[in-house]
Amino acid sequence: MITDSALGATPEIGPSTAVARAPVGFWLVAAVYALVMLGGTLPVPLYVFWAPQMGFGPFTTTLVFATYALGTVLALVVFASLSDRAGRRPLLASALLAAAASTALFLVARNVETLLAARFMCGLATGVFTATATAALGELAGERHARRASVVSTAANMGGLGLGAIVAGVFAQLGGNPTHLVFWVYLAALLPALVAVAVVPETVAVRHRPVLSVRRPALPGERAGREEFLRGAAAVFAAFAVSGLFSSLVPSFLREQLHVADVAAVGGVVGLLFIVALIAQLAAPARWLSRRWSAPAFLIGGVVVFEIGLWTRSLPLFIAGTLLAGTGIGLAFRRGVEAAQRLADPQHRADLLSTYFLAAYAGTIVPTLALGLLGQVINTDIATLFLAAGVVAVTLAAALGRRTGPTTHPVGRTDRH
């Protein structure tokens, strides 16, 4: 792997003349971040229309979603950390162009292959923007407002994901062309987003020529920081396994097992998970975030309750489980982002954040694909039970991990070996 040290000086990230516009730039980045994440869940309620048109079933639905997650992982491994060298704005603009290309593919999709390509491009855009925007928000906020950066970045992420499913469901229910109208509107919204990125202050003061390479996951250099980071990564892996289930197969569960036919209602239930996660991040008491068992308790409780809802065909129980699980996802995600921002070497902030989000999106790929495969050979209820057991096991392992004491200052270097 080619490292920064092999290519010359590392970038210096710090104040510049443009940072005088940092407050406006901060909120512009946050708004565009939410818009990009919204695009990630726009397709979720629309599989009910594409499936009969293109002739595919639940397994193909999980494959399409896994392709999105694969694009996200590829972006995190190859592209996202380039912003540490090339600057934040070029990567943010490139991600928006990828989102526009993805949207155009959805508009012309007539077969599964085009749908897969559209979801893959959407994943690339999401992966690049997630790591780059989170790093940019931390730098635009400054060390004095690090907590604000963490709260806003996680809110933009979860809020956008929640709104995407809800907006697409409403458009599909009320609009005349359910698989096209929402994408035309989204494509139009990306144009002012490009303008917003163009005026955002650049926070990488010294930039270098970007070099593509497959990067290994970065970790904090000190043992205590490394162990804290890995616990957060394991927790977000489990949390995103649940969100991946909601973004892929829950719409079909709602229609076929819980008899929810209204597309807007389906989008609303899926979006509810992310909206509750957003509210948990913004409104949860500080003691919930500081206690290591708060997020695991909510996540495990939610998985158990919505599993009971699926087995008993009870929509109220399923929704109750969604509320609990969403709270757990929000708490786990915010706690992990705060730790990653705090532990990151400022010169490689996007690098460590990429590793964190890599763990998150790996959590959506492996369990979701496994569930889709299991659903081909065994009862769907039993398949989701296996997924629930896996989520509980990983969550418990992360919570029970040995603690060596808190790390309260940024780690001096990032281990890239």
Side-chain angles (χ1 to χ4, degrees):
M1 185 182 81
I2 301 174
T3 63
D4 289 338
S5 59
L7 293 166
T10 55
E12 296 175 10
I13 299 170
S16 67
T17 57
V19 175
R21 294 179 285 131
V24 175
F26 178 88
W27 294 110
L28 285 175
V29 171
V32 180
Y33 187 4
L35 180 68
V36 172
M37 298 310 296
L38 183 150
T41 50
L42 281 181
V44 171
L46 305 181
Y47 293 120
V48 64
F49 301 103
W50 283 318
Q53 291 172 8
M54 303 178 189
F56 64 80
F59 176 69
T60 301
T61 300
T62 63
L63 184 62
V64 172
F65 177 76
T67 301
Y68 161 75
L70 180 63
T72 305
V73 167
L74 179 65
L76 292 169
V77 170
V78 178
F79 301 112
S81 61
L82 290 180
S83 71
D84 284 335
R85 292 184 58 83
R88 307 299 183 212
R89 282 193 305 186
L91 270 292
L92 294 175
S94 299
L96 284 174
L97 293 175
S102 166
T103 307
L105 286 170
F106 279 121
L107 286 168
V108 300
R110 298 291 182 273
N111 51 52
V112 172
E113 291 77 14
T114 308
L115 205 58
L116 289 169
R119 277 310 251 165
F120 182 74
M121 290 298 295
C122 184
L124 286 178
T126 300
V128 171
F129 212 96
T130 294
T132 306
T134 304
L137 288 171
E139 291 151 6
L140 289 166
E143 293 297 330
R144 291 175 55 193
H145 302 290
R147 182 179 179 276
R148 176 195 296 174
S150 296
V151 171
V152 171
S153 63
T154 54
N157 190 302
M158 289 295 173
L161 290 171
L163 286 176
I166 294 170
V167 167
V170 171
F171 269 75
Q173 191 68 34
L174 303 179
N177 197 338
T179 59
H180 287 78
L181 179 59
V182 70
F183 291 114
W184 280 117
V185 173
Y186 185 68
L187 192 60
L190 290 174
L191 295 176
L194 274 169
V195 175
V197 166
V199 302
V200 166
E202 178 56 70
T203 55
V204 179
V206 178
R207 295 182 291 279
H208 301 276
R209 178 177 60 87
V211 177
L212 282 180
S213 63
V214 177
R215 56 176 289 280
R216 285 185 176 183
L219 293 173
E222 294 181 2
R223 181 179 177 183
R226 199 159 49 234
E227 292 182 354
E228 180 183 359
F229 178 81
L230 289 174
R231 285 194 302 272
V236 84
F237 177 95
F240 269 56
V242 176
S243 71
L245 171 66
F246 271 72
S247 299
S248 56
L249 289 180
V250 159
S252 66
F253 293 164
L254 289 170
R255 289 193 312 273
E256 296 167 13
Q257 294 172 258
L258 300 178
H259 311 295
V260 179
D262 187 285
V263 182
V266 170
V269 173
V270 174
L272 180 65
L273 180 85
F274 299 104
I275 296 299
V276 171
L278 168 62
I279 294 171
Q281 293 169 50
L282 298 178
R287 64 180 182 275
W288 287 13
L289 289 166
S290 62
R291 291 175 181 169
R292 68 189 302 189
W293 279 102
S294 297
F298 277 106
L299 187 62
I300 292 172
V303 168
V304 169
V305 173
F306 78 61
E307 267 297 308
I308 294 173
L310 282 176
W311 277 78
T312 61
R313 305 298 188 259
S314 169
L315 183 60
L317 274 178
F318 185 86
I319 291 176
T322 300
L323 294 173
L324 290 170
T327 302
I329 290 170
L331 294 175
F333 187 61
R334 179 178 158 187
R335 183 180 173 118
V337 168
E338 286 185 349
Q341 289 274 28
R342 173 167 45 82
L343 296 168
D345 179 345
Q347 294 185 351
H348 299 289
R349 190 182 302 275
D351 219 9
L352 189 63
L353 287 166
S354 295
T355 301
Y356 179 74
F357 289 112
L358 182 62
Y361 284 99
T364 66
I365 294 178
V366 179
T368 303
L369 267 182
L371 182 60
L373 287 169
L374 285 171
Q376 303 297 299
V377 295
I378 61 176
N379 181 276
T380 302
D381 290 332
I382 298 175
T384 58
L385 189 60
F386 277 119
L387 175 66
V391 167
V392 170
V394 174
T395 303
L396 287 174
L400 292 169
R402 185 169 61 91
R403 304 182 74 174
T404 57
T407 301
T408 56
H409 301 285
V411 176
R413 69 180 181 87
T414 300
D415 186 358
R416 296 161 63 106
H417 302 290

